[in-house]
Amino acid sequence: MNSQLEKIIKKYDSDKFRLMDILIDIQAEFGFISKEATHDVAKELNMAVVDVEQTLTFYHFFTQKSTGKNTVYLNDSAVACMMGREEIKKAFEEAAGCKFGENSADGLIGLYNTACIGMNDQEPAAIINGKVFTKLTPAVAQQIVSGLKAGKNVQDLYHQELGDGKNAAAEVKSMVRNNIRRRGQVILNDFTPGVALKTKLSSMQPKDVIDEVKKSNIRGRGGAGFPTGLKWDFCSRSTGEKRYVLCNADEGEPGTFKDRVLLTERPEMLFEGMAIGGYAVGADQGILYLRYEYKYLETYLEKVLEDARKDNRLGKNIGGVNGFDFDIRIQFGAGAYVCGEETALIESGEGKRGEPRDKPPFPVEKGYLNMPTVINNVETFCAVVKIIENGGNWYKQMGTEESSGTKLLSISGDCAQPGVYEIEWGMTISQMLEMVGASNVQAVQVSGPSGQIIGPKDFDRKICYGDLATGGSMIVVDKTRDMLKDIVLNFMEFFIEESCGSCTTCRIVPKLMKDRLVKILNGKGVMKDIADLEDWAKILPVSRCGLGQTAANPIATSIKNFRELYEAKVQKDVDYDCGFDMNKAVQASCAFVDRVPNAH
Amino acid sequence: MSEIIKIVIDGKEIEATKGQTILQAAVNNGIYIPTLCAFDGIKPKASCRLCTVKVNGRAMTACTTPATEGMEIENNTAGINEIRKAIIEAIFVEGNHFCPSCEKSGNCELQALGYRFMMMVPRFPYSFPQRPIDATNPKLLLDTNRCILCLRCVRGLKDENGKSLFAIKHRGVHAEIVMDHEVCANISDEMAQKAMNTCPVGVIIKKEKGFDEAIGTRKFDKQPIGHEIENKFNQGGN
Ligand SMILES: Cc1cc2nc3c(=O)[nH]c(=O)nc-3n(C[C@H](O)[C@H](O)[C@H](O)COP(=O)(O)O)c2cc1C
Ligand code: SF4
Ligand code: SF4
Ligand code: FES
């Protein structure tokens, strides 16, 4: 066996629960995961080769072939396209001499697409050899390619200065910008690490912590909105030899990027929140599940962890509280939106395919390695720190009756000031649009593709759990956009690519719906197609997880709120059109015999 | 001692043992809930979604949800059956199912469900995918044209070291079932037969034995799927 490979497998004790880490390291070391490497891993871990392949082939960033000496992953989310992705794509292709999905003939450059990389406020953006490039232009794309071909280091090809705040830190050195546009009273307010851990917990029992969190009424910020105090309470009451605290930093919902900003500017706060969670439920181990797209933050986050250990905010007897031990490790994903679903995240963390589990049992009963586990979003953990510092009552005064506190919004699309805003719950969409400098607005995509697309008649509605609930992704779409093509179609393609494929419903139906949408966009649609789409959408809610349950939302909510766009595109005088284009179908064979297709 | 609890399915009160799934409780009481990916002796993973029922108004899969005291369950309702029928149709259009030429015809659970739910023509267009056939193994043929990705083979078939005979590769619409050629190289006749029996459709076929049971005389040719459960208490001539 290759000695490098042997070292990697040893590093993780040939533990099959660490298969993700092993594969990540192999991919990084060799640029791809060869057949031989797969066989060697299987042998060392005592698994069938297909068992290794089932994990390996699940993730976007694991490849079985080289992706070029230099690899460009260009974001293809809807907002990237709105901000001019097509031109950038062409420029890359011209400069590299190959198409997206291929490597250049000399193997120097590989061009690949990737789903939203969490940079919607600075698109078009790409990850090139692990470094993030934002606000690309065609000229810049060409410079990058010629630089890479000339053997330059990717960091020497930066076309912008380093970003603000910690983006410029020695361990990050990234051009990414925070774009923090509004600081509220909780998370983006001033923060001193360790206050909660060192001055509050010594006089609080774990149960008091849970009670304080309950009192604040905070609900999970990852989207589902489950009451955090209740979740911690359940976990602390479940039986198990060991407990775990997991942080969900998968941030895969297109259009959200606020966790990236927290990971950059508030990692001390996040780790403190996880430690508080550990204290509350009786866990001594935490895992930060971090999306692969944010790997550029790895060195920096490891340093923050190290500093926290030195400062007794992690480690043994934290804050001088006897027996309060807690430490955190970082677990990377490898490119799969569904791994943001909490049970898929656990599976992935255990080295498997990111397929969601059936619930019940819930993670609080049987989570990571089947032990009671708390999983919360980055923002939730951050907010808890302030709740412990200032009390649940203080927190509850902000926001509305049923939605307490503040919320970070990631706002992007057609607006003057895209970025992160910490608002109090209860703001209306109109107020939000004014805040971000948006005019001529056609629609707002609330909560990403899995949410809903709403029009002006709903702009008086409030952002809160009782009305427009959101994990924070807000995309503004102005009147110049072709909504069905630019937004709805892109989102359907996203769900199709990201489905784990376990459920029949989620694996099959979104594709059928997308094909029907394309038929309508091609001018071949009839009124019945709209009715079919509405009917088919009703099948998806019986899927196992939120991905499938919401995968019809781009089409279903756009039909509901913008039916006229569909009706304008279908043929009114035709009842039936199978969508088949004879002339197109025989194009290739006609060309072969030198004829022009002329079927009627 | 096992604790007896009471649950209600479609208005009928039945008894269940604590720890049983809704599906097990239903089957024991002669109530049919359609299934495809569930299989006796294999840990359930609710992927076909056919056994979806409504528990206190919420959609849940009967094969994985434990029965608990006082549960109100809707099963055989027009709304739920319409979704089940749509799922069956979706499965048919996803693959290539040419029943008359399939060794599993008459013993195929998908085909039987098509009949039971009176599927005429699927509401969705066929996708006619191009899928591979793997005939390299001496005992087993793998025709993935008919695969419905129920993962019964993946979950249920392991060698003596716990290694998988079959696995799923890729994800979403690209997902496919593959055989582990090393693990399957010296597969026994019994294991090959077990593999064929585990597959609800005609993907995993034991080689060198075809059509020895005449079409028309096979399991679901005689009785529609589910009747063995529904007739549980009517047998023995009473
Ligand atoms: C497809 C899918 C993707 C998800 N992605 C994320 C994510 O990236 N981050 C997150 O915090 N929660 C995500 N969730 C929600 C999680 O399942 C879970 O509810 C959340 O992490 C719980 O934390 P919270 O209570 O603090 O929100 C996702 C859910 C689904 C169904
Ligand atoms: S709903 Fe989709 S993503 Fe979720 S488990 Fe089912 S197939 Fe996988
Ligand atoms: S091969 Fe058969 S048992 Fe295996 S997933 Fe496909 S249909 Fe199910
Ligand atoms: S039998 Fe329950 S989901 Fe398939």
Side-chain angles (χ1 to χ4, degrees), chain A residues 39 46 48-51 54 57-58 335-336 353 356 358 497-500 502-504 507-508 542-544, chain B residues 45-49 64 83 86-87 90 94 123-124 148-149 163-164 167-174 180 182:
Chain A
H39 277 256
N46 197 21
V49 174
V50 289
D51 283 332
Q54 38 180 21
T57 56
F58 188 86
R353 295 166 66 79
D358 297 296
E497 268 323 298
E498 297 299 330
S499 162
C500 83
S502 180
C503 305
T504 50
R507 185 179 72 240
I508 308 173
V542 308
S543 306
R544 182 186 305 131
Chain B
K45 168 112 189 176
S47 56
C48 76
R49 316 306 293 175
T64 57
I83 288 190
I87 293 173
E94 184 194 30
R123 71 198 69 187
F124 312 107
I148 62 171
L149 292 164
K163 294 183 180 177
S164 302
I168 176 172
K169 272 173 59 168
H170 305 291
R171 69 182 186 211
V173 289
H174 311 290
D180 191 294
E182 276 171 35

Side-chain angles (χ1 to χ4, degrees), chain A residues 111-172:
Chain A
L111 301 178
Y112 295 87
N113 294 319
T114 200
C116 189
I117 61 172
M119 302 289 160
N120 257 8
D121 55 338
Q122 39 210 306
E123 288 293 339
I127 301 174
I128 304 175
N129 295 354
K131 299 287 170 198
V132 179
F133 283 72
T134 62
K135 291 199 175 276
L136 291 165
T137 62
V140 168
Q142 279 176 341
Q143 277 164 26
I144 293 172
V145 172
S146 37
L148 291 173
K149 280 192 171 166
K152 283 202 185 150
N153 186 317
V154 67
Q155 239 160 310
D156 299 333
L157 296 169
Y158 279 8
H159 62 289
Q160 296 189 79
E161 290 171 14
L162 296 182
D164 53 338
K166 290 287 163 46
N167 291 300
E171 299 82 12
V172 187

Side-chain angles (χ1 to χ4, degrees), chain B residues 89-139:
Chain B
E89 293 175 13
I91 296 174
F92 266 103
V93 304
E94 184 194 30
N96 297 311
H97 297 276
F98 306 116
C99 300
S101 65
C102 178
E103 165 64 21
K104 207 65 179 263
S105 182
N107 289 325
C108 170
E109 294 176 35
L110 178 64
Q111 183 191 43
L113 281 160
Y115 283 124
R116 172 147 186 154
F117 279 81
M118 293 191 279
M119 180 184 107
M120 304 305 281
V121 171
R123 71 198 69 187
F124 312 107
Y126 284 98
S127 42
F128 299 119
Q130 289 202 340
R131 299 238 190 110
I133 295 176
D134 181 350
T136 55
N137 185 279
K139 297 226 166 92

Side-chain angles (χ1 to χ4, degrees), chain B residues 147-168:
Chain B
C147 183
I148 62 171
L149 292 164
C150 68
L151 304 194
R152 272 155 53 159
C153 59
V154 178
R155 286 176 285 137
L157 303 168
K158 309 277 163 181
D159 78 354
E160 56 278 10
N161 299 316
K163 294 183 180 177
S164 302
L165 275 62
F166 298 92
I168 176 172

